[in-house]
């Protein structure tokens, strides 16, 4: 049995590991980076040089107010409700492990479940190291355009593009995942805009999309919005050849 495992740690004690490292592409999947840090010293209970214990399964729920600033950790029992008990669409499973040592105490939240941890501790499949792509900034569409009744709008930033890079949008609208973009993304802002305004993609259900004059912002405007819709969306850059 190994004394330590490699895993993706989201928090150690009071320190959150979250940044803005964009995304990368692996095959047909778009994978987020910047959430968590890979460490190779996650202790295993019962090994000769650790005094570790497992504190259970948790949902990592993004603290989200225009940017993802960290996570709240809500305990849950996989035997009761399972994945149907996810409190928010952007939440994902982590577990907490504690380590007691002379004169101190550490704890960390690690990507995965207790079951996956037990499997890895026994020499089986390794812990997951790739966080979900579904974590994206949220905004309530409650600002009115020129104070016009019902004309609520929201803004989504468009990153700078270099040669060989495409735009890729993803997100949720009122807790429902928005349909996936083309795997290869979109080579120009105009092609991105066409996707956002195509009814069959579902993004058009949010409202009518336009671009700012400098192509740095995608603006969605609702003809008669309620002022309570929540859009969680991000536009990122991927490599065309990835």
């Amino acid at each position: 049995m190994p004394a330590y495992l490699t895993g993706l740690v989201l928090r150690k004690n009071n320190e959150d590991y979250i940044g803005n490292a964009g995304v990368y592409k692996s095959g047909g999947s778009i994978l987020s980076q910047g959430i968590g840090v890979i460490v190779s010293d996650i202790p295993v209970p019962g090994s000769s040089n650790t005094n570790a214990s497992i504190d259970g399964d948790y949902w990592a729920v993004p603290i989200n107010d225009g940017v993802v600033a960290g996570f709240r950790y809500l305990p849950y029992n996989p035997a009761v409700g399972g994945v149907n008990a996810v409190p928010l669409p952007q939440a994902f499973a982590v577990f907490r492990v504690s380590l007691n040592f002379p004169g101190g105490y550490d704890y960390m939240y690690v990507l995965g479940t207790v079951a996956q941890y037990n499997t890895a501790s026994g020499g089986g499949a390794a812990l997951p190291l790739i966080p979900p792509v579904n974590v994206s900034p949220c905004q309530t569409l409650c600002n009115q355009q020129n104070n016009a009744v019902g004309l609520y709008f929201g803004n989504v930033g468009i990153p700078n593009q270099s040669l060989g890079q495409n735009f890729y949008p993803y997100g949720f609208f009122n807790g429902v995942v928005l349909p996936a973009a083309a795997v290869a993304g979109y080579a120009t802002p105009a092609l991105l805009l066409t996707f956002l305004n195509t009814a069959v993609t579902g993004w058009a259900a949010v409202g009518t999309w336009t671009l700012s004059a400098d192509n740095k912002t995608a603006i969605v405007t609702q003809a008669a919005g309620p002022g309570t819709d929540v859009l969680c969306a991000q536009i990122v850059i991927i490599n065309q050849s990835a």
Side-chain angles (χ1 to χ4, degrees):
M1 179 175 62
Y4 296 98
L5 299 175
T6 297
L8 188 78
V9 176
L10 276 75
R11 171 185 284 187
K12 184 173 182 181
N13 298 331
N14 294 322
E15 183 175 4
D16 288 312
Y17 301 121
I18 185 167
N20 183 20
V23 301
Y24 69 97
K25 183 179 170 188
S26 177
S29 299
I30 308 299
L31 309 169
S32 64
Q33 293 178 304
I35 299 174
V37 60
I38 295 176
V39 301
S40 298
D41 60 353
I42 298 171
V44 174
S47 59
S48 59
N49 59 345
T50 64
N51 184 17
S53 60
I54 293 297
D55 298 328
D57 287 295
Y58 290 77
W59 294 118
V61 182
I63 299 170
N64 206 328
D65 185 17
V67 297
V68 180
F71 297 91
R72 291 184 297 119
Y73 298 97
L74 304 179
Y76 79 102
N77 184 345
V80 180
V83 295
N84 295 321
V86 178
L88 289 174
Q90 297 199 74
F92 55 93
V94 297
F95 63 91
R96 192 169 105 155
V97 59
S98 299
L99 175 61
N100 296 299
F101 52 88
Y105 164 83
D106 284 334
Y107 69 89
M108 58 184 72
Y109 289 94
V110 185
L111 182 68
T113 65
V114 171
Q116 290 173 314
Y117 173 85
N118 290 335
T119 296
S121 297
L127 289 171
L129 298 177
I130 299 173
V133 72
N134 60 347
V135 177
S136 53
C138 294
Q139 58 187 299
T140 300
L141 302 180
C142 60
N143 292 318
Q144 291 179 314
Q145 188 179 68
N146 298 324
N147 295 319
V149 175
L151 288 181
Y152 295 105
F153 72 96
N155 297 318
V156 181
I158 299 176
N160 293 328
Q161 182 185 30
S162 298
L163 183 65
Q165 294 180 328
N166 285 351
F167 300 110
Y168 186 89
Y170 64 92
F172 294 82
F173 183 53
N174 288 333
V176 178
V177 63
L178 288 163
V183 171
Y186 304 97
T188 67
L191 291 173
L192 170 67
L193 183 63
T194 297
F195 167 76
L196 295 175
N197 279 319
T198 302
V200 295
T201 70
W203 288 76
V206 182
T208 300
W209 293 85
T210 58
L211 300 179
S212 61
D214 59 3
N215 288 332
K216 297 301 182 186
T217 307
I219 306 163
V220 61
T221 304
Q222 299 180 319
T228 56
D229 286 336
V230 177
L231 173 65
C232 302
Q234 189 167 10
I235 299 170
V236 298
I237 288 292
I238 61 173
N239 292 327
Q240 293 177 353
S241 60

